[in-house]
Structure formats: C-alpha cells, structure tokens
Amino acid sequence: MGQDYSTSLQSLINDSNSDFAALAFVDSRKRHIHWKHVSGSCSQRLKKMVGKPGIDLSGMVVRFGDVMIVDNSDANINEKRLEFPSMVAEGLYSAMASPIAIDGQISAVLVVGSRTERTYTQADICLIKKEAERFASMIKAKLNIVT
C-alpha cells in the first residue's frame, strides 16, 4: 500500500503543478505527527521530523481542522514560511495542507508545496480537498475500516 501512496503523491504533484507532496500521520495517543510518505523531497530531514498539533503547517491543520495555505497572497510570505520547519527543510516557498479525517478524527495531513513563488487558487483548494478524501479512502482500506 505504501507504493499506492507514493504513486498518488507523485500524481498529485503533477496535477497540482507542485514540486512536493507528502502524507503525515497523526499519532493521537502521543499527539505527534510523523511524515511517512514523501514525493519530490530534496532532503531526508522531513521524514525524521516529529510534529505536534499547532506547530508547523501540518500541526496547524491538525489543530484547526481546515486547509492551511502559505503563499504569495500573504505580504509577509518570506517571514511566514520560516515559521514552518517542514517548509524550510524542503526549501518550499508556497505550500497548502489539508486534513484527512477518518471517522470524524483527523488521522493524517496531505501537503503540497512549490519551491517557487505561487498563489493558490480556489481550484487548487478544491483539488487538495478532493485528494484528501481519496487518501482517506485509501487509508480506510488499508486499515480495513468500514464506514
């Protein structure tokens, strides 16, 4: 199933005109976020990082339960992106992340990013939300969760 995630992440990179896509899983018992599947990575640092709710882009998504965007629409983009260690580790200038909910709980986070300046559109937001739902289905299938 890991190969399915990798293939899907690579397709998401192509479909979203991005440079990077990743899937981070939430360990609700320890309240940690672990990067498990990454495509387009330029560093091994990300997979070694452990996040927490409210910290980093994935942590903000877990905390607030909604899509988070860091892009050129923010006048302070250069300072803002430095607040997110995952963006710094991957050299990303723009990124968007969506929660992946399973049975009402955020179980994972889907992230796409670009190493160039970019402003995400409503179509981009719709795409990542749709892909997050698809990844939720893949995760449920792997875990044999029936809904």
Side-chain angles (χ1 to χ4, degrees):
M1 186 61 86
Q3 182 60 34
D4 292 334
Y5 292 141
S6 297
T7 302
S8 294
L9 289 171
Q10 188 58 50
S11 293
L12 180 56
I13 287 173
N14 296 335
D15 294 345
S16 64
N17 295 314
S18 298
D19 300 310
F20 169 89
L23 186 60
F25 284 91
V26 178
D27 180 342
S28 58
R29 291 173 304 212
K30 294 182 181 177
R31 302 214 8 104
H32 289 160
I33 302 163
H34 299 273
W35 298 95
K36 294 292 185 182
H37 303 278
V38 181
S39 188
S41 179
C42 67
S43 166
Q44 292 299 314
R45 290 175 43 202
L46 187 66
K47 281 192 149 183
K48 296 176 185 174
M49 292 178 156
V50 176
K52 293 185 179 183
I55 299 174
D56 199 30
L57 189 60
S58 60
M60 298 299 276
V61 168
V62 171
R63 182 178 218 173
F64 296 110
D66 202 3
V67 172
M68 299 290 294
I69 299 171
V70 178
D71 68 5
N72 279 354
S73 64
D74 187 332
N76 298 319
I77 180 69
N78 289 324
E79 294 83 24
K80 184 110 177 187
R81 70 181 203 86
L82 296 176
E83 296 173 15
F84 302 112
S86 60
M87 291 184 71
V88 173
E90 288 297 331
L92 302 175
Y93 284 92
S94 306
M96 180 171 50
S98 179
I100 297 174
I102 297 175
D103 294 335
Q105 293 280 75
I106 297 174
S107 300
V109 178
L110 181 61
V111 179
V112 295
S114 296
R115 293 188 178 90
T116 56
E117 294 179 358
R118 175 175 184 166
T119 302
Y120 289 102
T121 65
Q122 191 62 41
D124 294 322
I125 296 167
C126 288
L127 174 65
I128 197 167
K129 285 181 175 182
K130 180 184 83 162
E131 289 298 309
E133 289 175 8
R134 197 167 66 77
F135 273 91
S137 295
M138 290 170 61
I139 294 166
K140 285 179 189 178
K142 180 175 181 179
L143 298 175
N144 294 318
I145 296 173
V146 178
T147 54

